[in-house]
Amino acid sequence: MATAPKLTDLSVGDMAARSGVAISTLHYYEDLGLIESWRTPANHRRYDRRELRRVAVIRVAQSLGIPLSEIKSMLDRLPTSRAVRKADWQKASERWKDELELRILVLQELRDQLDSCIGCGCLSLEACPLYNEQDKVASRGSGPVLFDERVNPNKT
Amino acid sequence: MATAPKLTDLSVGDMAARSGVAISTLHYYEDLGLIESWRTPANHRRYDRRELRRVAVIRVAQSLGIPLSEIKSMLDRLPTSRAVRKADWQKASERWKDELELRILVLQELRDQLDSCIGCGCLSLEACPLYNEQDKVASRGSGPVLFDERVNPNKT
DNA sequence: ATCAAACCTCAAGGTCACTTTAGGGGAACA
DNA sequence: TGTTCCCCTAAAGTGACCTTGAGGTTTGAT
C-alpha cells in the first residue's frame, strides 16, 4: 500500500497480455502475495508497471524449478517500498544463480555417470552414486525441488 | 507374469527398505504398471530383485523432472521378459541422456543471461532472451517438464 | 495359543500450481 | 441506450504424485 495510483498502471488484462500469464494465474499470485495491486473505485485491479518485472522473475524462477513459496520468500526480501533498484534485483537473483549453478553441476554429474552406471547393475544398490545423487535433487510432491524444506520422504 | 517365483524375491517391506521408497509408493507404482510383482498364496506381494533397479531408475528419472507417464512408456519399451540386459537399459537410458543434455544447455544459457539481464529492466519486456527462454522449459502444472504433451498454457 | 508386526484393499485426503465454473458488476463505445 | 467486453469473487476441478485411514488377514516368535 505504498502505492500511489497512476494512470499508467495496468489492468489485470494488460498484465496478462504483456506478461503472457493467464489472468487467473495473476489472481492466484496475488492471493499468494507474490504480486500486489491497488483497486479502482469499481474494485478493478491496477498494477504498477514494476509488477511486470516481478511476474517475469517469478516465471524465470519457476523455470528453474523453484517453488512459489521460495520465490515468495525471495521477493519478500526486496524492499517493500516501490523503489526497488537494479542492485536489489541483482542481489536477490544471486541466490538463484547459485542454485542454478548447483543444479547444472548435479545434472552434469548425473549425465557423466549415466554411461558408467545405469547399465552396470549398481543402480540397484545403495552405493550407486547416481542413485544417491538423486536424493539431493529428489522431489517431494512433484517436480524437482532443490530448495530446503526437505522433509524425510518416508519414515521406513 | 513371466515370473518364476524365487525364495530370494523381496516383500514390499524389503523393497521399501532397500529402495528408500515408501510402501504406499511402491503400491502406487504397481498400480501404474511401473513395477511388477507376483503374489504368495496369502496374497502378499513378492518382487524379483530386478525390480529394485526399476525403482532406482524411476527415482533417477523423476529427479530429472520426467513424469511417471514418460517413465512408464520408457520402461514399457524394455523387453517384458525377465531377461533385461545391460544393453537394454543403456539403450533406454540414451533418450534420457539426451534430455539431460538439453536440460543442462538450457540452464547454462539461463545462467549466462542472468547477469546481463535480470538487473537491466529488460526482464519486463517480451524481448528479453531470459524471459523468453523460460517458455522452452516452462512447466504446466508443477515442476519443469521438458517432455512433450505441451498444451498451450493460456489461450489469451 | 497368543500377540505384535507385517501384509492386504479400497477410498479418501493432501499438496502444488493452476484453470474452470458460476453468477454476478461496471465500463466503453456506437 | 444498448450491448459487448472486461472485471469481480468464491468455490470447485485438474493432474501429478503420493499419504493416510479404516478394517481385515497372515506370519512368526514366544
Side-chain angles (χ1 to χ4, degrees), chain A residues 50 79-85 88:
Chain A
R50 286 170 234 245
T80 31
S81 96
R82 296 293 287 284
V84 179
R85 333 194 145 281
D88 295 320

Side-chain angles (χ1 to χ4, degrees), chain A residues 17-22 52-53 55-57 59-60 62-65 86 89-90 93-94 96-97 100-101 103-104 107-108 110-111 114-115 118-126 130-131 134 137-139 142-144 153-154 156, chain B residues 16-22 49 52-53 55-57 59-60 62-65 86 89-90 93-94 96-97 100-101 103-104 107-108 110-111 114-115 118-121 123-126 130-131 134 137-139 142-144 153-154:
Chain A
R18 303 205 52 184
S19 69
V21 168
L52 270 175
R53 193 189 289 183
V55 173
V57 168
R59 301 306 270 193
V60 170
Q62 279 193 295
S63 78
L64 307 185
K86 255 191 185 183
W89 282 117
Q90 271 162 346
S93 72
E94 266 311 304
W96 288 348
K97 242 191 81 181
L100 195 40
E101 214 68 74
R103 203 165 265 255
I104 290 170
L107 286 184
Q108 278 169 344
L110 237 46
R111 179 198 54 190
L114 208 51
D115 271 336
I118 207 164
C120 74
C122 69
L123 209 50
S124 58
L125 300 175
E126 294 79 357
L130 176 55
Y131 186 46
Q134 158 243 144
V137 203
S139 54
S142 56
N154 47 329
T156 313
Chain B
R18 305 204 54 184
S19 69
V21 168
R49 312 188 91 80
L52 271 175
R53 192 189 289 183
V55 173
V57 167
R59 302 305 272 193
V60 170
Q62 278 194 296
S63 79
L64 307 185
K86 258 189 181 182
W89 283 116
Q90 270 162 348
S93 72
E94 265 311 305
W96 287 348
K97 245 191 75 180
L100 196 40
E101 213 68 75
R103 208 165 262 256
I104 289 169
L107 286 184
Q108 278 169 343
L110 237 45
R111 179 199 54 189
L114 207 53
D115 271 336
I118 206 164
C120 73
L123 209 50
S124 58
L125 301 174
E126 293 80 357
L130 177 56
Y131 187 48
Q134 158 243 145
V137 202
S139 54
S142 55
N154 47 334

Side-chain angles (χ1 to χ4, degrees), chain A residues 36-53:
Chain A
E36 208 180 66
S37 69
W38 57 278
R39 302 296 180 109
T40 65
N43 200 31
H44 287 190
R45 287 173 178 84
R46 285 296 177 274
Y47 298 92
D48 186 282
R49 312 187 90 80
R50 286 170 234 245
E51 296 299 304
L52 270 175
R53 193 189 289 183

Side-chain angles (χ1 to χ4, degrees), chain B residues 72-134:
Chain B
K72 175 162 166 47
S73 74
M74 182 275 213
L75 290 174
D76 285 350
R77 258 177 266 121
L78 291 170
T80 31
S81 97
R82 295 292 288 283
V84 177
R85 335 193 143 282
K86 258 189 181 182
D88 296 320
W89 283 116
Q90 270 162 348
K91 200 170 155 220
S93 72
E94 265 311 305
R95 195 168 153 207
W96 287 348
K97 245 191 75 180
D98 294 346
E99 209 49 51
L100 196 40
E101 213 68 75
L102 175 61
R103 208 165 262 256
I104 289 169
L105 283 175
V106 171
L107 286 184
Q108 278 169 343
E109 214 174 310
L110 237 45
R111 179 199 54 189
D112 294 344
Q113 283 166 347
L114 207 53
D115 271 336
S116 59
C117 192
I118 206 164
C120 73
C122 70
L123 209 50
S124 58
L125 301 174
E126 293 80 357
C128 173
L130 177 56
Y131 187 48
N132 287 334
E133 200 55 58
Q134 158 243 145

